[in-house]
């Protein structure tokens, strides 16, 4: 069967799995402002709406925890396809929902898909991509999420005008059934398209399918030439890393809690936790409520601008993350979001007042009679989204996917992603009553979380750009403080240069001149070479 070999195409297509998460976010946020949804399911903010919203991240938590078992046994590629099938089932149930019970079941099932995809798609991308563009292609996951949010939001916005419009007292259910049905389409495309993409070369190597691994590496990084120096260098590095892991003879579950690895697991889980506690997904889920509290005339349309900005401002991160690095993105992002949230909270606290409008039953605090302040809150909300999109949005997916060794990568990333969904679920359930009870003080709480994230990342997150996945042990186990610069250069580049100069022979299945002996490197080092069959 024909297989695509362009890394950008492979990683962009796999990122459709992230797009499904985006579809879900805006298919819920978009319907909150319609009478069709409010009247049919009899929700009006509060804990009932929080429970419906939290159903998807609850399912995602389960999916994330289960994802590593599927990905390690049947491959990363197969796990993504399994996720697509689960999404289709969940979307059908949501579309057919005749009450809250079936809607919640459908969202839980769809959430299982999102949990699997959000954990495994970045792993697949990271294992496919060369180190020079790994940050860029894994960031496509976040860009796909933003595109999913935007596309589904405008589908929902258009559907909201069916049945007399969102404010019609007897608006029909097509306003929410159409967008929930449309989200089946990308999952079908993902399921079918993945048949034409390769399995991860690192997963193949871990299963001792060395010839397949080499062919995939050659197709991805050597234009099909298995004797290409870069292909042989990467093959050698993967082989050495796997041999070292097997010599340690430690199970993958036990390895997760070893002190040297546990700190990385905690760091990965913390990054995903802070990506939720920064307040971004709260803004995405409940932006309509925020706009209503600011006294905006058409909150659905005004909120759509936020989604456009989210898409547009993720692009610079995709283009430049591998240039400016992961660490600056995390630190500058936390500081910027903290500052903006403190300002918004202060404006809401000073100029806001308890809500007395019965038509805004979901909120208890509103900006009334201060149009300039309302515009400032909206503008600051947009700046907040832009800050997240350029910094934490793509980096929070990239960093956890690249810092773990092969034998625990899927399990560790699944734990990191499970942290994301656990906090996502908690916030989705807690924010509606939180908005009601402490209103503007909520901004201060999330601003404080961003301040804590800044300190945490400064102390514990070293730079990883320009390093291969196999070099992360060196980055994290060197004893160097996180705030100290990591030495430039990569072992892969040195291996490639030695192979090009003829000072190192790598025995690989099918490669010409392969020898099962030791060869002297230019620096007098001995590199063990072993023929694989």
């Amino acid at each position: 069967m024909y297989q695509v070999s362009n890394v950008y195409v492979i990683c962009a297509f796999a990122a459709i799995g992230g797009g499904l998460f985006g579809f879900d976010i805006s298919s819920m946020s978009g319907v909150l402002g319609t009478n069709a949804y409010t009247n049919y399911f009899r929700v009006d903010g509060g804990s009932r709406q929080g429970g419906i919203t939290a159903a998807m991240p609850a399912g995602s938590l389960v999916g994330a925890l289960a994802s590593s078992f599927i990905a390690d046994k049947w491959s990363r590629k197969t796990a993504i396809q399994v996720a697509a099938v689960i999404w289709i089932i969940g979307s059908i149930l949501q579309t057919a929902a005749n009450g809250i019970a079936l809607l919640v079941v459908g969202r839980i099932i769809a959430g299982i898909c999102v949990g699997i995809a959000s954990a495994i798609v970045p792993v697949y991308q990271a294992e496919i991509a060369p180190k020079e563009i790994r940050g860029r292609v894994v960031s496509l996951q976040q860009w796909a999420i933003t595109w999913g949010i935007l596309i589904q939001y405008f589908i929902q916005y258009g559907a909201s005008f069916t049945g007399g419009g969102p404010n019609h007292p007897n608006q029909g259910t097509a306003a929410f059934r159409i967008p929930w049905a449309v989200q089946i389409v990308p999952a079908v495309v993902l399921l079918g398209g993945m048949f034409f993409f390769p399995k991860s070369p690192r997963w193949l190597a871990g299963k001792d399918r060395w010839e397949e691994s080499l062919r995939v590496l050659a197709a991805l990084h050597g234009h099909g030439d298995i004797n290409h120096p870069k292909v042989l260098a990467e093959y050698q590095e993967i082989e050495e890393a796997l041999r070292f892991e097997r010599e340690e003879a430690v199970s993958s579950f036990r390895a997760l809690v070893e002190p040297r690895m546990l700190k990385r697991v905690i760091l990965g889980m913390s990054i995903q936790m802070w990506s939720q506690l920064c307040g971004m997904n709260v803004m995405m889920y409940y932006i309509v409520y925020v706009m209503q509290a600011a006294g905006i005339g058409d909150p659905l349309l005004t909120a759509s601008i936020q989604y456009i900005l989210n898409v547009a401002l993720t692009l610079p991160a995709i283009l430049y993350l591998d240039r400016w690095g992961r660490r600056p993105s995390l630190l500058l992002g936390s500081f910027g979001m903290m500052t903006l949230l403190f300002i918004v909270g202060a404006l809401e606290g000073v100029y806001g007042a308890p809500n007395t409008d019965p038509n805004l039953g979901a909120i208890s605090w509103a900006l009334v009679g201060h149009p300039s302040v309302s515009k400032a809150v909206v503008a600051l909300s947009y700046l907040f989204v832009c800050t997240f999109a350029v910094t934490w949005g793509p980096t929070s997916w990239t960093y956890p996917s690249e810092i773990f060794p092969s034998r625990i990568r899927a399990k560790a990333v699944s734990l990191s992603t499970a942290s994301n969904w656990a906090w996502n679920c908690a916030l989705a359930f807690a924010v509606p009553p939180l908005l009601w009870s402490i209103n503007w003080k909520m901004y201060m709480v999330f601003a404080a979380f961003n301040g804590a994230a800044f300190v945490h990342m400064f102390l514990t997150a070293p730079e990883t750009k320009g390093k291969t996945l196999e070099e992360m042990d060196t980055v994290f186990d060197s004893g160097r403080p996180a705030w100290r610069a990591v030495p430039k250069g990569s072992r892969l580049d040195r291996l490639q240069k030695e192979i090009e100069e003829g000072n190192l022979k790598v025995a690989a299945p099918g490669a010409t001149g392969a020898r099962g002996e030791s060869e002297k490197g230019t620096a007098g080092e001995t590199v063990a070479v072993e023929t694989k069959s």
Side-chain angles (χ1 to χ4, degrees):
M1 180 184 291
Y2 169 77
Q3 285 196 336
V4 178
S5 59
N6 184 286
V7 173
Y8 285 105
V9 173
I10 294 169
C11 294
F13 191 88
I16 292 175
L20 299 179
F21 174 27
F23 263 69
D24 180 86
I25 289 176
S26 55
S27 68
M28 180 52 64
S29 63
V31 301
L32 292 177
T34 65
N35 276 333
Y37 175 81
T38 303
N39 295 336
Y40 190 82
F41 294 105
R42 293 182 171 83
V43 294
D44 191 14
S47 59
R48 181 173 291 187
Q49 178 55 49
I52 294 172
T53 306
M56 193 277 291
S60 299
L61 174 60
V62 175
L65 291 172
S67 63
S68 65
F69 298 98
I70 304 171
D72 282 340
K73 185 170 184 178
W74 290 295
S75 82
R76 284 64 162 129
K77 170 182 167 179
T78 301
I80 295 170
Q81 290 180 299
V82 169
V85 172
I86 295 173
W87 175 269
I88 292 169
I89 296 170
S91 296
I92 290 172
L93 293 178
Q94 290 178 73
T95 304
N98 58 357
I100 290 179
L102 188 56
L103 175 61
V104 168
V105 170
R107 285 180 59 77
I108 290 174
I109 292 174
I112 293 173
C113 153
V114 173
I116 295 172
S118 61
I120 302 305
V121 168
V123 171
Y124 180 71
Q125 292 168 322
E127 293 184 344
I128 287 283
K131 61 182 176 58
E132 294 84 2
I133 61 168
R134 187 175 61 242
R136 178 177 300 176
V137 297
V138 178
S139 296
L140 292 173
Q141 161 89 345
Q142 176 64 19
W143 206 34
I145 293 173
T146 65
W147 273 110
I149 293 171
L150 181 66
I151 293 170
Q152 176 68 312
Y153 190 88
F154 278 112
I155 292 172
Q156 173 55 47
Y157 184 69
S160 70
F161 290 99
T162 63
N167 297 318
H168 194 281
N170 297 313
Q171 186 184 26
T173 60
F176 58 81
R177 296 196 194 277
I178 290 174
W180 291 350
V182 168
Q183 66 187 8
I184 296 172
V185 175
V188 173
V189 173
L190 179 64
L191 173 63
M194 285 302 294
F195 284 108
F196 301 97
F197 293 89
K199 289 182 169 67
S200 161
R202 287 171 170 84
W203 179 84
L204 290 168
K207 296 297 182 181
D208 288 326
R209 293 162 64 172
W210 292 98
E211 290 190 21
E212 291 178 72
S213 175
L214 182 62
R215 286 198 300 270
V216 173
L217 285 172
L220 294 172
H221 307 149
H223 304 291
D225 179 10
I226 62 174
N227 294 299
H228 193 287
K230 184 173 184 178
V231 172
L232 293 176
E234 191 161 8
Y235 176 90
Q236 173 77 357
E237 196 173 40
I238 292 171
E239 192 273 337
E240 286 181 357
L242 284 173
R243 186 174 66 243
F244 176 75
E245 290 173 8
R246 289 169 178 175
E247 286 173 354
E248 287 189 316
V250 177
S251 72
S252 58
F253 288 103
R254 183 180 172 187
L256 286 170
V257 295
E258 287 184 335
R260 58 182 284 267
M261 207 57 65
L262 183 60
K263 67 179 183 179
R264 274 189 253 180
V265 174
I266 293 173
L267 177 59
M269 295 178 69
S270 298
I271 286 176
Q272 291 284 15
M273 174 188 74
W274 292 128
S275 74
Q276 291 298 316
L277 294 180
C278 74
M280 178 60 177
N281 274 4
V282 172
M283 299 289 278
M284 285 297 172
Y285 275 119
Y286 298 107
I287 187 62
V288 172
Y289 293 162
V290 174
M291 295 301 177
Q292 287 176 341
I296 301 301
D298 188 349
L300 284 174
L301 182 59
T302 308
S304 69
I305 298 174
Q306 176 172 260
Y307 298 128
I308 295 172
L309 290 171
N310 196 18
V311 171
L313 270 296
T314 302
L315 189 56
I318 293 173
L319 296 176
Y320 299 109
L321 184 60
D322 287 306
R323 184 177 300 177
W324 66 48
R326 285 63 156 156
R327 184 174 167 84
S329 296
L330 295 172
L331 295 178
L332 293 174
S334 294
F335 185 81
M337 290 187 289
M338 174 188 70
T339 303
L340 291 168
L341 287 172
F342 273 134
I343 296 172
V344 171
L347 290 174
E348 290 269 6
V350 172
Y351 294 99
N355 176 42
T356 57
D357 187 347
N359 294 319
L360 301 178
I363 57 176
S364 63
W365 193 264
L367 287 168
V368 180
H370 300 283
S372 59
V373 177
S374 296
K375 292 175 182 177
V377 167
V378 172
L380 290 166
S381 297
Y382 290 159
L383 285 174
F384 177 88
V385 171
C386 292
T387 304
F388 178 87
V390 175
T391 57
W392 272 81
T395 311
S396 63
W397 294 110
T398 301
Y399 201 93
S401 71
E402 64 187 5
I403 64 176
F404 302 108
S406 179
R407 75 181 182 279
I408 67 165
R409 185 172 297 124
K411 291 182 176 64
V413 174
S414 75
L415 287 174
S416 299
T417 311
S419 170
N420 178 302
W421 293 115
W423 287 100
N424 191 315
C425 180
L427 292 175
F429 190 80
V431 165
L434 198 64
L435 271 171
W436 181 267
S437 59
I438 68 172
N439 39 71
W440 63 270
K441 302 179 190 71
M442 184 185 72
Y443 294 102
M444 301 303 189
V445 171
F446 285 108
F449 285 145
N450 279 292
F454 177 87
V455 174
H456 187 195
M457 293 302 101
F458 179 82
L459 295 175
T460 63
E463 184 56 69
T464 58
K465 72 171 182 177
K467 303 296 182 182
T468 66
L469 299 180
E470 288 70 32
E471 289 180 289
M472 292 303 161
D473 283 349
T474 303
V475 172
F476 281 90
D477 299 339
S478 65
R480 184 183 298 105
W483 57 87
R484 290 275 301 275
V486 176
K488 294 183 179 180
S490 169
R491 188 161 63 97
L492 179 67
D493 296 331
R494 294 192 293 272
L495 282 173
Q496 182 178 344
K497 184 178 180 181
E498 290 187 1
I499 293 170
E500 289 172 344
E501 294 174 347
N503 297 311
L504 174 66
K505 300 291 184 181
V506 177
T512 59
R515 290 182 285 177
E517 58 185 8
S518 295
E519 297 291 334
K520 292 291 183 181
T522 54
E525 62 183 358
T526 299
V527 183
V529 181
E530 181 180 338
T531 303
K532 298 292 178 184
S533 58

